Amino acid sequence: MASKLLELNNVEVVYNDFILVLKGVSIEIEKGSIVTLLGPNGAGKTTTLKSISGLIKPERGEVTRGTIVYEGKRIENRDPEENARDGIIQVMEGRRIFEELTVEENLRAGSYISGNTDFDMVYNYFPNLREKRNLRGGYLSGGEQQMLAIGRALLAKPKLLLLDEPSLGLAPIVVKEIFEIIKRINREENVTILLVEQNAKLALEIADYGYIMENGRIVMDGEAEKLRQNEDVREFYMGMT
Ligand code: ATP
């Protein structure tokens, strides 16, 4: 029997004390699965990831309401570092690597919390990074920087990996390669993945289940295979008719 790793129940997020960005979002993620969260710009996808990882900050007038249950425990409004120690690791949009540090120094930053320094495991998935391990991050291509960001997250020993638009700004062939590796990581490292994407076509190819978000609400969800066949999804999110 599959068990639930994460459950969001009626989650609302308020920014600046009054702007309601998430308007009652409920999502379930089974252990070992890849779930994708799709939707247009500004729908609230990044905010959903932040509510899970703990990056919604009450001291900035940002509030999460509703419940978020991870491994059977309530975690809403918990500290991001505590979440990271428990295996909730977020890879931010825009490949935030340290450009002045070498590839290996960047990876070391991922080891900080977990103590895991198995760089070979990362190089196994991303052989380019092994070749360039002494090169500064800023000299890598966009695709390699995304690989580095994912590799660094892997060293933090994720149980739940939150990926925010890994395809952003990358050539289709590079995106395909990265998505294949994401699938391998899911299977071989037994990491559950929540993948936020605008590239619905590719995301639904590797995901088990998908949610579609518009204007702070989930408007559709289902098995990835079913969503791929759905006429509306094909027309509005996959550019196919
Ligand atoms: P994108 O793909 O553009 O990142 P998204 O679906 O991830 O889109 P969010 O980034 O979650 O959407 O943003 C949802 C809404 O909240 C947008 O209207 C955005 O302008 C607004 N928003 C995001 N962050 C803040 C903030 N810190 N303060 C106020 N409003 C915000």
Side-chain angles (χ1 to χ4, degrees):
M1 257 279 292
S3 65
K4 246 180 278 173
L5 182 64
L6 184 81
E7 192 176 352
L8 274 65
N9 295 305
N10 214 11
V11 169
E12 296 181 342
V13 169
V14 179
Y15 282 136
N16 300 333
D17 292 324
F18 64 91
I19 307 166
L20 188 59
V21 173
L22 296 190
K23 301 168 184 167
V25 170
S26 297
I27 287 177
E28 281 187 14
I29 300 184
E30 277 181 15
K31 218 177 209 161
S33 66
I34 300 183
V35 171
T36 186
L37 178 58
L38 307 168
N41 263 329
K45 305 181 299 297
T46 298
T47 301
T48 304
L49 295 188
K50 283 170 144 183
S51 73
I52 299 166
S53 61
L55 296 176
I56 300 294
K57 294 279 163 213
E59 62 272 24
R60 288 201 302 253
E62 304 173 358
V63 181
T64 304
R65 300 195 201 111
T67 63
I68 303 180
V69 180
Y70 172 72
E71 292 187 313
K73 281 180 301 202
R74 297 268 300 264
I75 62 156
E76 66 274 1
N77 293 311
R78 210 168 65 155
D79 187 63
E81 193 163 322
E82 203 180 336
N83 285 331
R85 281 184 205 287
D86 254 357
I88 302 177
I89 307 294
Q90 181 168 356
V91 178
M92 306 284 223
E93 183 178 319
R95 319 185 269 278
R96 309 239 182 105
I97 59 148
F98 302 111
E99 297 195 348
E100 296 302 318
L101 300 184
T102 67
V103 165
E104 199 142 304
E105 286 164 348
N106 267 280
L107 291 179
R108 215 170 278 284
S111 311
Y112 168 69
I113 281 186
S114 66
N116 177 13
T117 52
D118 187 1
F119 301 142
D120 272 343
M121 178 267 293
V122 173
Y123 296 146
N124 209 357
Y125 287 108
F126 304 110
N128 285 11
L129 296 184
R130 185 195 302 276
E131 274 168 42
K132 299 189 174 175
R133 63 183 178 277
N134 295 319
L135 203 66
R136 278 202 227 156
Y139 289 106
L140 300 179
S141 69
E144 287 164 345
Q145 290 188 8
Q146 183 62 62
M147 292 174 189
L148 182 55
I150 295 173
R152 188 175 61 189
L154 273 184
L155 285 171
K157 289 216 165 165
K159 288 189 224 166
L160 175 64
L161 188 58
L162 307 172
L163 297 175
D164 199 351
E165 299 219 25
S167 77
L168 197 74
L170 303 180
I173 189 162
V174 180
V175 175
K176 209 161 176 1
E177 188 188 343
I178 290 178
F179 274 41
E180 276 163 16
I181 296 169
I182 291 171
K183 185 86 192 172
R184 273 185 57 208
I185 289 170
N186 163 251
R187 288 204 185 125
E188 296 169 21
E189 308 298 322
N190 199 21
V191 175
T192 305
I193 293 173
L194 177 54
L195 171 66
V196 159
E197 260 303 331
Q198 299 234 15
N199 190 333
K201 191 169 180 295
L202 273 183
L204 289 172
E205 269 173 30
I206 65 163
D208 301 296
Y209 202 88
Y211 288 87
I212 296 180
M213 177 173 260
E214 281 175 15
N215 199 13
R217 293 194 170 86
I218 302 294
V219 292
M220 197 188 295
D221 67 291
E223 307 278 334
E225 183 56 39
K226 292 222 174 81
L227 291 179
R228 276 162 64 187
Q229 311 294 339
N230 182 286
E231 286 297 320
D232 290 341
V233 175
R234 291 172 79 83
E235 185 177 345
F236 296 114
Y237 295 100
M238 293 162 72
M240 301 159 106
T241 43

